[in-house]
């Protein structure tokens, strides 16, 4: 049983397209996150939801929109993809904000 | 404001020798501190965490870290490196209270030489 699962694992798409990445956790955690990891392995938080409520929204282009239909799911929709969006996107969850994270295995997005 | 600095971007050790990965932090409040490991093409896994209990924290796979408030450090150690320890390691700080913001270090790549 995967605790935090992301789909798809790999995503190759053309510039200008719209794509979504899905994330689900079965740990009963209240808080979920999206992180972007660039080619230098630097991890930057994008969004955080606590019980379906947005609590962290870092400086991220409006083209990125998170959606949390329930506290077990946090999806990421990206409009008008750009070359610079190529990265690995990680979903994570924690029992509550500030507790240790459980990460998904990542989605490698390549924009061509 | 909080920050975390991993002092070495790369560390290379021989198999069977000790590992030391250095991390310094700054925080206005009582921080929680974590170490995560990322193996190639994998997600991050929690190694250990400090949350204001014992200052010497033991984690998985024989790793441990010591919280030193006077030095604002949280270095990760292991007595004897194994080939499977080769990975990227991230030090993380989280400030207590409210919706804590979490800051990741830039990572230390550990190479283990046979």
């Amino acid at each position: 049983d995967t605790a935090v699962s992301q789909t798809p694992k790999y995503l190759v798409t053309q510039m200008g397209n719209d794509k979504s990445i899905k994330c689900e956790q079965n740990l009963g955690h209240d808080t979920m996150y999206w992180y972007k990891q660039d080619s230098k392995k630097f991890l930057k938080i994008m969004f955080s939801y606590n019980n379906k409520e947005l609590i962290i929204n870092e400086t991220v282009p409006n083209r990125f929109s998170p959606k949390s239909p329930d506290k077990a799911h946090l999806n990421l929709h990206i409009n008008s993809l750009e070359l610079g969006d190529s990265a690995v996107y990680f979903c994570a969850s924690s029992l509550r904000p500030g507790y240790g994270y459980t990460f998904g295995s990542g989605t490698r997005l390549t924009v061509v | 404001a909080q920050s975390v600095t991993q002092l070495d971007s790369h560390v290379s050790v021989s198999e069977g020798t000790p590992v030391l990965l250095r991390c310094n932090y700054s925080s206005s409040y009582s921080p929680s501190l974590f170490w995560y490991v990322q193996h190639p093409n994998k997600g991050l896994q929690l190694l250990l965490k400090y949350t204001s209990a014992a200052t010497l924290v033991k984690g998985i796979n024989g790793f441990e870290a010591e919280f030193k408030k006077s030095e604002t450090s949280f270095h990760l150690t292991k007595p004897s490196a194994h080939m499977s320890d080769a990975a990227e390691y991230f030090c993380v700080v989280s400030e207590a209270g409210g919706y804590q913001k979490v800051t990741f270090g830039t990572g230390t790549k550990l190479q283990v030489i046979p």
Side-chain angles (χ1 to χ4, degrees):
Chain A
D1 280 346
T2 304
V4 179
S5 59
Q6 293 178 232
T7 54
K9 194 171 174 61
Y10 299 96
L11 186 52
V12 181
T13 187
Q14 290 187 323
M15 281 175 56
N17 283 350
D18 303 339
K19 290 293 178 186
S20 292
I21 307 172
K22 295 187 176 182
C23 179
E24 176 182 2
Q25 55 98 0
N26 62 7
L27 298 165
H29 287 171
D30 284 349
T31 313
M32 295 185 72
Y33 311 81
W34 277 109
Y35 275 83
K36 180 180 180 181
Q37 186 175 46
D38 63 23
S39 58
K40 290 189 166 73
K41 301 289 187 185
F42 182 66
L43 277 150
K44 182 177 167 59
I45 191 165
M46 301 174 71
F47 303 103
S48 175
Y49 272 73
N50 188 61
N51 275 321
K52 301 195 301 174
E53 179 188 344
L54 181 66
I55 58 171
I56 293 176
N57 183 356
E58 290 296 301
T59 307
V60 175
N62 291 341
R63 300 181 293 104
F64 290 80
S65 55
K67 283 192 173 46
S68 182
D70 54 60
K71 74 174 194 178
H73 295 83
L74 180 61
N75 303 323
L76 183 66
H77 188 74
I78 316 169
N79 288 328
S80 303
L81 278 154
E82 300 177 358
L83 292 177
D85 297 332
S86 296
V88 181
Y89 292 84
F90 284 101
C91 178
S93 71
S94 65
L95 186 61
R96 276 181 280 284
Y99 279 60
Y101 290 2
T102 301
F103 279 87
S105 54
T107 296
R108 184 175 293 276
L109 172 65
T110 304
V111 182
V112 297
Chain B
Q2 64 185 22
S3 67
V4 60
T5 302
Q6 291 185 241
L7 297 159
D8 307 293
S9 58
H10 287 84
V11 169
S12 185
V13 301
S14 297
E15 192 176 15
T17 65
V19 175
L20 170 64
L21 305 183
R22 299 183 293 165
C23 173
N24 285 105
Y25 70 92
S26 70
S27 174
S28 304
Y29 304 99
S30 298
S32 295
L33 293 155
F34 307 81
W35 276 99
Y36 288 85
V37 59
Q38 184 179 25
H39 288 93
N41 299 314
K42 301 283 186 190
L44 286 82
Q45 181 184 19
L46 180 65
L47 270 181
L48 50 80
K49 62 182 177 182
Y50 165 77
T51 53
S52 77
T55 56
L56 182 62
V57 182
K58 293 188 185 302
I60 61 172
N61 301 334
F63 284 93
E64 60 182 40
E66 186 170 7
F67 173 70
K68 291 187 177 180
K69 188 174 180 179
S70 60
E71 298 176 11
T72 61
S73 70
F74 190 58
H75 300 334
L76 182 70
T77 60
K78 182 173 180 177
S80 174
H82 192 272
M83 293 300 296
S84 61
D85 295 327
E88 192 92 22
Y89 291 79
F90 294 91
C91 182
V92 178
V93 62
S94 170
E95 288 188 341
Y99 290 125
Q100 297 96 333
K101 188 169 178 179
V102 172
T103 302
F104 277 74
T106 51
T108 298
K109 186 169 184 175
L110 176 65
Q111 180 185 18
V112 181
I113 303 165

